[in-house]
Amino acid sequence: MEFFIDRELPVPLRAQLQGLIEYGIACGELTAGEMLPSVREMAEKVGVAPMTVSQVYADLKAAGLIDARPGSGTFVTDSLQTRLANRADASGIHRHIDQLIDESHALGIRSTELVSLITSRVFYRESVGPRFRIVMIGLFPEATASYARFIAARLGRGVTVEPLTVAAIEREPLAKARANSADLAITFANRHREVTGLVANTKVVTISFTPSEETRLALASLDSLTSITVVSRFPDFLPIMKSGVQRFAPHVSEIAAATLETPGLEALLATASVVIYASGAESILSRLAEGTQAIEFRHAPDTADIERVVVPIIRAAGVQPQPAETPTPKRPATID
């Protein structure tokens, strides 16, 4: 194995040398019984003081990775690291480590910062125990975050749910890496193929989404004489959205529907006393006349689908979900 110290790195020479030897043992480049250069030879090879090498060797010996035999030299011991390095199934770990290093460098993360991140993450995981990692992949940051909170509350301890948007995964290497390293990804049925293509290393499942309790309460509280205009960003969502409004506000008869690009939208907005807008169509708020009430048509994950689709996968992984109490619905999200 070649030993090389980079003096331009913001990493102490002693830490670099120790890291090189530890990495060589972990990756199988230094095998059990292999002899290391003497203190003086190593000092000359890498250009450091013999005292630095002596300190590194002492630390490695204390860790059980090497052993000094009087009159014979310093050798790599038959440690857990060397046994793991020789296992065929350990190669995948090495690939993940290399990928993590490459991705961190692409993001401008220095080696010392990466080591600090890993150390802190290891400490956290060991303190909280094993966790099943889920990513909720949606379209809009705020809505996706609310879906992730809802799912996390249903699954409780032992499971973490991180919100990620399709756009973030497409343009941000770190977001894509986090999605591909998760245990499970959840998304909408009509986005399953797209998301599967983005996170090829993660199992992707779909669940149903229903109008949230806040949305239902807001619609049910509307006056029967209300004039409603339903606005969606996506044309294919408009029929579903209008049907939902009719379902939860059956007492209101005057309901028009349009997308952000519909000709004559301004006229529809001018005659509406209430505008129901889909998540992602928030730009409509700046176009409303003063006094027009606005209600976001927010969805929430179907609890029955969480139990039917997600919970069995978590249990199969050896994690027992501990559902938390479902949060009490907030007051309807309306803007006057």
Side-chain angles (χ1 to χ4, degrees):
M1 176 179 172
E2 294 293 329
F3 298 96
F4 175 74
I5 296 296
D6 188 345
R7 295 182 179 275
E8 295 184 359
L9 289 178
V11 182
L13 302 182
R14 175 179 171 182
Q16 286 193 50
L17 179 58
Q18 183 166 335
L20 283 171
I21 298 174
E22 289 178 341
Y23 181 81
I25 294 172
C27 294
E29 293 187 43
L30 294 173
T31 59
E34 185 170 345
M35 184 177 179
L36 293 176
S38 68
V39 169
R40 185 169 299 278
E41 290 173 339
M42 180 67 84
E44 292 177 354
K45 280 178 178 290
V46 300
V48 299
M51 179 60 70
T52 300
V53 179
S54 294
Q55 292 171 334
V56 169
Y57 279 10
D59 289 342
L60 293 173
K61 181 179 180 181
L65 298 179
I66 65 174
D67 186 32
R69 303 173 190 170
S72 299
T74 302
F75 299 85
V76 177
T77 61
D78 184 21
S79 63
L80 175 61
Q81 285 88 333
T82 57
R83 291 194 293 273
L84 284 175
N86 292 322
R87 285 174 49 177
D89 55 357
S91 60
I93 296 177
H94 301 153
R95 286 196 300 272
H96 287 313
I97 293 173
D98 290 340
Q99 181 182 359
L100 178 61
I101 293 171
D102 292 340
E103 290 171 351
S104 66
H105 287 170
L107 293 171
I109 299 174
R110 296 183 301 177
S111 299
T112 51
E113 295 170 335
L114 176 61
V115 171
S116 178
L117 285 171
I118 293 174
T119 302
S120 61
R121 189 64 183 176
V122 168
F123 176 79
Y124 169 76
R125 286 297 301 275
E126 289 182 346
S127 62
V128 302
R131 294 291 182 99
F132 190 91
R133 268 194 65 231
I134 295 176
V135 287
M136 173 63 229
I137 302 178
L139 298 177
F140 310 110
E142 185 180 347
T144 304
S146 73
Y147 304 152
R149 288 193 297 269
F150 187 95
I151 295 171
R154 295 299 305 176
L155 299 176
R157 295 191 59 180
V159 180
T160 61
V161 186
E162 177 182 0
L164 289 173
T165 63
V166 170
I169 296 172
E170 288 176 332
R171 68 172 181 262
E172 300 172 14
L174 184 57
K176 186 169 186 177
R178 293 189 65 79
N180 275 285
S181 64
D183 298 305
L184 182 69
I186 300 174
T187 192
F188 310 102
N190 64 335
R191 297 284 174 172
H192 185 269
R193 179 178 296 181
E194 178 184 10
V195 170
T196 300
L198 290 174
V199 291
N201 296 334
T202 301
K203 180 180 178 63
V204 180
V205 298
T206 65
I207 61 175
S208 300
F209 288 76
T210 59
S212 67
E213 188 66 19
E214 297 93 327
T215 298
R216 297 181 191 185
L217 290 173
L219 293 174
S221 66
L222 292 177
D223 188 277
S224 60
L225 299 179
T226 298
S227 175
I228 295 176
T229 293
V230 176
V231 182
S232 171
R233 180 175 171 180
F234 302 107
D236 56 350
F237 182 60
L238 202 55
I240 299 173
M241 185 177 171
K242 183 178 180 181
S243 175
V245 172
Q246 292 172 326
R247 176 183 176 188
F248 296 107
H251 54 290
V252 179
S253 59
E254 191 174 344
I255 303 177
T259 69
L260 292 174
E261 307 301 326
T262 297
L265 176 58
E266 297 299 334
L268 290 175
L269 296 177
T271 59
S273 55
V274 176
V275 171
I276 314 293
Y277 65 95
S279 299
E282 292 84 358
S283 61
I284 199 68
L285 297 176
S286 63
R287 301 162 67 176
L288 301 184
E290 185 177 352
T292 303
Q293 183 183 3
I295 301 173
E296 181 180 4
F297 194 84
R298 177 68 63 84
H299 279 75
D302 188 322
T303 55
D305 263 11
I306 294 174
E307 294 294 324
R308 180 181 63 85
V309 178
V310 180
V311 170
I313 296 174
I314 297 173
R315 286 177 175 159
V319 177
Q320 186 62 40
Q322 300 176 10
E325 186 175 333
T326 303
T328 302
K330 302 176 183 177
R331 291 183 60 82
T334 64
I335 301 175
D336 294 316

